Amino acid sequence: MIKILIADDHTMFADGIESILAEEADIEVVGKCYDGEAVFTELAEKEIDLILLDVNLPKMNGIEVCKKLFKEKTDIKVLALSMFNEESYVTEILNNGAQGYILKNTGRTELLKSIHTVVEGQSYFSPAVTQTIMKGLVKGNETSKATNLNIPKISRREKEVLQLIVKEHTTQEIADQLFISLKTVESHRANLLAKLSARNTAGLVRIAMENNLIDV
Amino acid sequence: MLNRFLQTFKIFFLLLLPCSAVASMPSDTLYSYQQLMQFFVDAKANSDVWRTAEVHKDFGDYYFQTNNYDNSFKSYKKSIDLFEKIGDSTNLYQVKLSLAKLYTFQDLDDGAERLLQEAVQYYNRENKGVELARAYLDLSRIYLDRQDFKKEILYLNKSVNINRILKDTLLDITISIEKSNSYIRLGEENKALGTAEKALSMSREIKNIDFIARSLLAVGNAYQLKKNPQLAIEYLRQSHQLTAPTEAQQFRDIYKTMAAAHAAQESYDSAYAYVNKFVILNDSLQNADQLETANRLSRQYESQKKDEKIQELSQEKSSAEFSVRKQRNLLISALIGFLAILAGTYFIIRFFQKQISTRELINRQNEKINKQKITELENNMKIESMHAMIEGQEAERERVAKDLHDSLGGLLSTVKLQFDSLENKMEGVSKFKNYQNANRLLDTACQEVRDIARNMQPSSLLNLGLVAAVRDLINRIDDPDQRTIDFQHYGLETKLENTVALTVYRLVQELLNNSIKHSKAKEILIQLTREQSEFIIMVEDDGVGFDVEGVEKGMGTENILSRVNYLKGDLSVHSEKGKGTTTLITVPL
């Protein structure tokens, strides 16, 4: 017997899920709750195998519930149930310990399949969610810091500024030469410092030379 | 010395004035509280219900005049109950009209309208012309308050028609003045002037000073509308002389038009004086909090810049004054030195000429200062309204997105769930084409709700932050050309303030859209950098570029500019034909 807790603030939807699961011989809905904090009161009182967890719960959202739940080692499985088909939500809740992610327009058959799959210890995603994850993997060209191995892409304009910095031009000279304001030059310089993890202009020049970032 | 003494005396006298005015006011128009109490006790002692009802009404009037509106309301109510009990309809509706006035005064227009409509029905039934005409007039004022000018004129005309038979001159004048005012609001200058002059001649006929004053104001307003400030000022001046000192509202209206008329004549000094008078009176007439908002509005933005500019101009002014003095001294000593009459005359003439021209200079500076102030005010208003628009738009989007998700989205999901489980209950149902179609359409509907809500406002922005939202934005793009979109971000670990994050998101969205739509780029770079005191957005593509000077202001650029201004940021666009576009936005934090 699979003991299930439904956590969803949309009562009508929660009732609908309950009525469908009630017809299954091997599933028992042991509780329903309508906000994130209530999940933990239910857990304290009842024995639960799987939580059908809405991502967008009031008081404490699904991601925070997962964070708190999986801080300690637990056998409870979480199947996220969401209106959102966004890569950020999927990644975030999976990183925090959920085993599956299905969209709310899931039908009966898929719902039952996902429950069984997750209880057996495997992951399950709605087909549309799988697509979203794939798309993210293909498009993901994201950088947030420089490492020795990986220098972020320098923009065309930044490269022009960098070249003039290496040639020891002053900010005013760079501004005049590129027909931009002093403030714009300063902004480009700030961007370069941030993306190359340099602390000052000297560092900037060193990293630029070491990595052949400029055409000399 | 004497002058100074007189001035002090005048101020002292002015300070005394309000006290005496307040003390004498109630007894002028009404019974005193003691008198009313006496009446009340007498009526009670004689068990005279009719008299008690009347005293309650008088109490109501007394409280109304002394600004005690709660008590006024209670007294009117008591009076209405009693008159109703003894079946005295005539007095009952009189009190109802007074109550309607109280309602109107407190902006409870719906209540007032209901009472007046009741009264209209009653007076119609009883054929009471004068009262009916007055009730119509009161009704028209309510519609005026609601800016429903058509209905206002409708009820005014009803009132006129009745009065055509009654020939009540006072009412006739009142209506004419009201009508003239509504014509002014509708911009029909000739009709406005005609009715106002009619009111004036009637008022003069019956020699009623109050009405003459009111009519003069109406005529003045009409002339101002006809762009004849000279005549407007003349009539307003006469009106001002005749207006009773207690009519604060009328004075306010006079000052308002006076200011406009003087401004039209380009005598800004006088216009300013009248604006000041208007503002002072308006202050005392309007709610204190409304005023506070107005003040704050005018103070808030760029006040520092404004002050500096004004200071600069006044410095120029004082240096000009200084040079006048210096010039004068020089000329006088020259006169003594030469002692030649001819030469003296020559210098005197020159001296006066100089003085006149420097005085003109001072005047011009003054005018400049005034104009500067006016444009500053206008700019502030513009900024305010733009902020309000952006904030309102975002708040509305957030609400709609939330509603879509919470109610419609939940409902659709539930329907889908129930519908899909039919398959289990009715064997073979899934073979029907209708069933399959409906099932698929439900999925599409869920998808649509999701898409619409997300386009309104991405929920990941508020829940997971700017980086997650931009990442989703990039992932979502259905790009047949398969462009590479690089996303770099530095220092965004700490959360930005919600309004800043939202505006930055919208900017990135707009810039990215522009680039995809117009640039034919192969690569797009989005870069967000948070520094200690500023936030830098950079979007660069390698597309076709455009001529920065020649680009017309489309909806997109307008949106970008207003959002950058909203964040008090800087926008720099660099683009050349065939060499791509770099947009850099710097926002102070």
Side-chain angles (χ1 to χ4, degrees):
Chain A
M1 189 66 102
I2 307 170
K3 296 191 177 64
I4 290 185
L5 170 68
I6 301 172
D8 196 310
D9 63 325
H10 204 286
T11 48
M12 208 191 288
F13 184 73
D15 290 347
I17 296 254
E18 188 185 23
S19 75
I20 280 164
L21 296 182
E23 289 163 11
E24 298 304 307
D26 58 341
I27 291 177
E28 187 194 353
V29 175
V30 292
K32 281 188 291 181
C33 55
Y34 308 110
D35 64 66
E37 284 172 5
V39 168
F40 294 94
T41 34
E42 291 282 323
L43 281 177
E45 290 167 7
K46 293 164 187 164
E47 196 182 313
I48 287 161
D49 297 320
L50 179 134
I51 307 172
L52 276 175
L53 182 66
D54 183 8
V55 174
N56 213 23
L57 281 175
K59 287 190 187 167
M60 190 181 195
N61 68 34
I63 293 162
E64 289 164 324
V65 170
C66 275
K67 264 186 200 160
K68 188 171 171 189
L69 191 62
F70 291 105
K71 222 182 213 172
E72 293 147 36
K73 202 170 159 13
T74 168
D75 290 336
I76 296 170
K77 307 280 191 241
V78 169
L79 180 55
L81 196 57
S82 174
M83 285 289 292
F84 304 115
N85 183 11
E86 307 276 353
E87 199 239 351
S88 59
Y89 277 106
V90 181
T91 321
E92 195 69 22
I93 200 158
L94 292 184
N95 283 344
N96 281 298
Q99 283 80 14
Y101 194 107
I102 55 175
L103 295 178
K104 277 199 177 174
N105 58 326
T106 299
R108 174 180 167 276
T109 327
E110 203 198 341
L111 177 67
L112 293 175
K113 191 175 158 199
S114 64
I115 289 174
H116 284 116
T117 315
V118 167
V119 167
E120 279 160 23
Q122 292 166 332
S123 300
Y124 186 91
F125 309 106
S126 297
V129 175
T130 313
Q131 254 178 30
T132 305
I133 300 173
M134 294 306 288
K135 228 172 158 184
L137 287 176
V138 175
K139 285 216 180 179
N141 257 344
E142 192 174 319
T143 342
S144 64
K145 62 170 177 269
T147 60
N148 281 339
L149 296 172
N150 177 25
I151 295 286
K153 186 177 145 67
I154 308 287
S155 97
R156 183 180 61 249
R157 205 65 180 155
E158 281 165 359
K159 202 169 169 184
E160 290 170 0
V161 173
L162 187 56
Q163 232 149 7
L164 293 172
I165 290 175
V166 171
K167 286 183 189 161
E168 291 180 66
H169 284 281
T170 65
T171 307
Q172 184 64 57
E173 284 165 356
I174 297 172
D176 292 344
Q177 206 154 336
L178 296 179
F179 301 107
I180 49 182
S181 70
L182 286 174
K183 191 161 178 56
T184 308
V185 179
E186 288 299 342
S187 295
H188 281 306
R189 192 206 300 273
N191 272 340
L192 283 166
L193 288 172
K195 65 163 66 176
L196 298 180
S197 302
R199 283 171 60 202
N200 49 33
T201 310
L204 211 57
V205 174
R206 181 182 56 80
I207 296 168
M209 301 299 268
E210 277 174 10
N211 294 282
N212 291 324
L213 293 179
I214 44 162
D215 321 316
V216 189
Chain B
M1 188 61 204
L2 183 69
N3 219 340
R4 193 140 174 207
F5 172 74
L6 275 175
Q7 218 155 34
T8 321
F9 179 72
K10 211 156 122 194
I11 290 165
F12 182 68
F13 181 70
L14 279 172
L15 280 172
L16 278 175
L17 203 62
C19 314
S20 54
V22 168
S24 66
M25 201 189 74
S27 59
D28 269 349
T29 47
L30 294 155
Y31 297 114
S32 74
Y33 189 75
Q34 278 80 4
Q35 280 173 305
L36 284 173
M37 275 319 276
Q38 190 57 51
F39 293 153
F40 184 66
V41 173
D42 288 349
K44 276 278 175 193
N46 295 328
S47 318
D48 186 341
V49 182
W50 186 85
R51 189 86 185 103
T52 317
E54 194 162 69
V55 176
H56 275 307
K57 178 189 184 293
D58 289 339
F59 263 121
D61 290 343
Y62 171 79
Y63 284 131
F64 191 5
Q65 289 293 327
T66 49
N67 302 339
N68 191 339
Y69 303 120
D70 269 358
N71 281 341
S72 174
F73 175 75
K74 283 180 198 151
S75 300
Y76 282 145
K77 269 280 181 211
K78 278 184 197 156
S79 177
I80 286 173
D81 287 346
L82 288 177
F83 278 130
E84 208 151 37
K85 211 162 115 192
I86 55 173
D88 181 345
S89 301
T90 321
N91 276 309
L92 174 63
Y93 283 99
Q94 285 292 348
V95 187
K96 282 192 175 180
L97 285 186
S98 302
L99 183 57
K101 277 219 174 65
L102 176 64
Y103 276 154
T104 318
F105 195 73
Q106 296 206 290
D107 285 336
L108 300 166
D109 284 351
D110 291 339
E113 188 188 1
R114 192 172 39 75
L115 286 172
L116 285 169
Q117 294 287 12
E118 273 176 35
V120 163
Q121 278 180 9
Y122 169 74
Y123 290 135
N124 243 330
R125 246 193 343 262
E126 302 287 315
N127 274 328
K128 299 205 171 185
V130 182
E131 285 85 347
L132 187 57
R134 290 208 176 268
Y136 277 139
L137 192 58
D138 285 347
L139 263 176
S140 79
R141 284 184 183 138
I142 288 175
Y143 290 113
L144 166 63
D145 253 13
R146 291 183 186 161
Q147 313 237 323
D148 186 345
F149 301 131
K150 277 194 185 145
K151 275 205 164 162
E152 189 214 352
I153 293 268
L154 174 80
Y155 281 105
L156 270 179
N157 280 335
K158 280 193 177 190
S159 197
V160 173
N161 287 339
I162 296 165
N163 207 36
R164 218 166 260 159
I165 308 161
L166 290 172
K167 301 206 191 315
D168 180 326
T169 321
L170 279 183
L171 188 58
D172 225 4
I173 299 170
T174 313
I175 294 169
S176 294
I177 293 172
E178 295 279 357
K179 264 185 125 171
S180 170
N181 286 340
S182 12
Y183 282 132
I184 285 176
R185 277 184 291 275
L186 292 170
E188 298 189 25
E189 41 186 58
N190 291 325
K191 283 186 182 173
L193 184 59
T195 38
E197 276 173 341
K198 193 175 128 200
L200 181 57
S201 71
M202 284 191 291
S203 310
R204 281 192 171 135
E205 232 170 281
I206 58 165
K207 298 197 172 63
N208 182 321
I209 294 193
D210 287 345
F211 277 99
I212 293 176
R214 285 178 59 191
S215 308
L216 283 167
L217 170 59
V219 175
N221 282 339
Y223 272 119
Q224 171 59 19
L225 187 68
K226 273 178 81 79
K227 301 204 175 54
N228 189 340
Q230 208 176 343
L231 274 176
I233 290 170
E234 177 55 25
Y235 277 101
L236 291 170
R237 199 184 48 73
Q238 288 179 25
S239 174
H240 188 261
Q241 277 178 352
L242 297 177
T243 301
T246 49
E247 295 286 341
Q249 225 160 344
Q250 189 158 326
F251 278 115
R252 184 193 59 181
D253 294 345
I254 292 174
Y255 293 147
K256 193 177 164 191
T257 316
M258 271 294 203
H262 277 102
Q265 284 193 324
E266 302 199 328
S267 44
Y268 291 107
D269 280 350
S270 318
Y272 246 80
Y274 279 113
V275 166
N276 275 337
K277 283 184 177 178
F278 167 75
V279 168
I280 289 163
L281 260 183
N282 213 22
D283 284 4
S284 58
L285 285 168
Q286 275 191 356
N287 286 335
D289 59 329
Q290 255 176 333
L291 197 86
E292 180 50 34
T293 337
N295 280 342
R296 200 186 58 228
L297 204 136
S298 57
R299 270 199 309 265
Q300 228 162 15
Y301 289 98
E302 296 177 43
S303 68
Q304 199 192 343
K305 217 163 103 189
K306 179 172 68 187
D307 286 346
E308 274 170 18
K309 192 80 189 167
I310 290 167
Q311 213 175 358
E312 200 179 285
L313 286 171
S314 13
Q315 256 168 14
E316 277 178 42
K317 193 179 100 177
S318 60
S319 79
E321 269 170 342
F322 179 65
S323 77
V324 177
R325 216 166 290 149
K326 214 164 132 191
Q327 196 85 38
R328 190 188 305 171
N329 288 345
L330 203 102
L331 286 173
I332 288 170
S333 49
L335 258 175
I336 295 163
F338 283 103
L339 268 175
I341 293 162
L342 259 173
T345 325
Y346 168 73
F347 275 108
I348 285 168
I349 290 166
R350 225 191 114 180
F351 160 70
F352 276 116
Q353 268 176 348
K354 273 272 174 194
Q355 205 184 29
I356 287 163
S357 74
T358 26
R359 197 172 289 154
E360 264 170 17
L361 188 72
I362 292 168
N363 281 341
R364 269 208 297 279
Q365 299 282 21
N366 269 334
E367 228 167 81
K368 242 189 193 167
I369 293 175
N370 288 341
K371 276 190 184 153
Q372 180 85 24
K373 276 181 186 163
I374 290 167
T375 41
E376 289 292 345
L377 266 174
E378 277 173 354
N379 285 344
N380 288 344
M381 301 285 263
K382 265 189 215 153
I383 293 169
E384 270 287 305
S385 73
M386 199 177 69
H387 283 197
M389 204 190 70
I390 289 177
E391 275 155 20
Q393 204 182 36
E394 290 297 353
E396 184 66 10
R397 281 179 179 172
E398 190 186 340
R399 197 184 59 76
V400 175
K402 205 168 152 12
D403 279 357
L404 276 174
H405 261 302
D406 291 356
S407 60
L408 190 57
L411 266 178
L412 273 174
S413 305
T414 316
V415 172
K416 159 83 187 182
L417 203 60
Q418 302 284 0
F419 191 71
D420 193 79
S421 65
L422 272 183
E423 208 177 338
N424 196 33
K425 300 254 163 87
M426 297 164 69
E427 203 140 329
V429 73
S430 58
K431 286 189 196 109
F432 289 106
K433 232 186 170 130
N434 291 356
Y435 177 84
Q436 290 168 8
N437 276 342
N439 215 344
R440 210 179 45 243
L441 285 173
L442 274 173
D443 281 337
T444 318
C446 287
Q447 180 66 34
E448 285 285 297
V449 169
R450 263 203 294 277
D451 286 350
I452 296 169
R454 191 186 43 222
N455 284 341
M456 285 274 164
Q457 199 174 69
S459 72
S460 50
L461 181 62
L462 294 181
N463 288 324
L464 303 175
L466 186 59
V467 172
V470 173
R471 189 187 300 143
D472 285 337
L473 177 70
I474 294 168
N475 285 337
R476 228 170 25 242
I477 288 168
D478 270 322
D479 184 7
D481 303 336
Q482 293 290 320
R483 276 165 254 253
T484 321
I485 301 175
D486 266 297
F487 175 33
Q488 301 187 16
H489 51 88
Y490 305 98
L492 263 71
E493 292 76 23
T494 41
K495 223 180 156 207
L496 286 165
E497 193 203 325
N498 273 350
T499 49
V500 179
L502 197 56
T503 316
V504 169
Y505 177 83
R506 295 272 181 233
L507 282 167
V508 172
Q509 194 177 25
E510 200 82 54
L511 290 169
L512 188 58
N513 274 345
N514 281 354
S515 191
I516 288 175
K517 257 194 240 158
H518 309 298
S519 79
K520 300 196 181 119
K522 288 198 188 65
E523 284 182 29
I524 300 172
L525 171 65
I526 300 169
Q527 200 168 296
L528 303 177
T529 313
R530 188 197 180 138
E531 292 285 304
Q532 250 165 5
S533 59
E534 59 184 15
F535 191 92
I536 309 169
I537 307 166
M538 191 188 77
V539 175
E540 187 177 272
D541 65 47
D542 59 351
V544 292
F546 59 91
D547 180 6
V548 180
E549 301 295 315
V551 75
E552 50 194 294
K553 276 189 184 169
M555 253 325 257
T557 37
E558 278 287 280
N559 273 341
I560 290 169
L561 262 180
S562 66
R563 287 184 198 280
V564 172
N565 283 338
Y566 174 67
L567 293 178
K568 301 196 174 73
D570 260 351
L571 169 74
S572 131
V573 183
H574 184 266
S575 185
E576 273 174 68
K577 279 252 157 78
K579 285 189 178 170
T581 306
T582 310
T583 309
L584 193 83
I585 297 168
T586 316
V587 174
L589 288 179

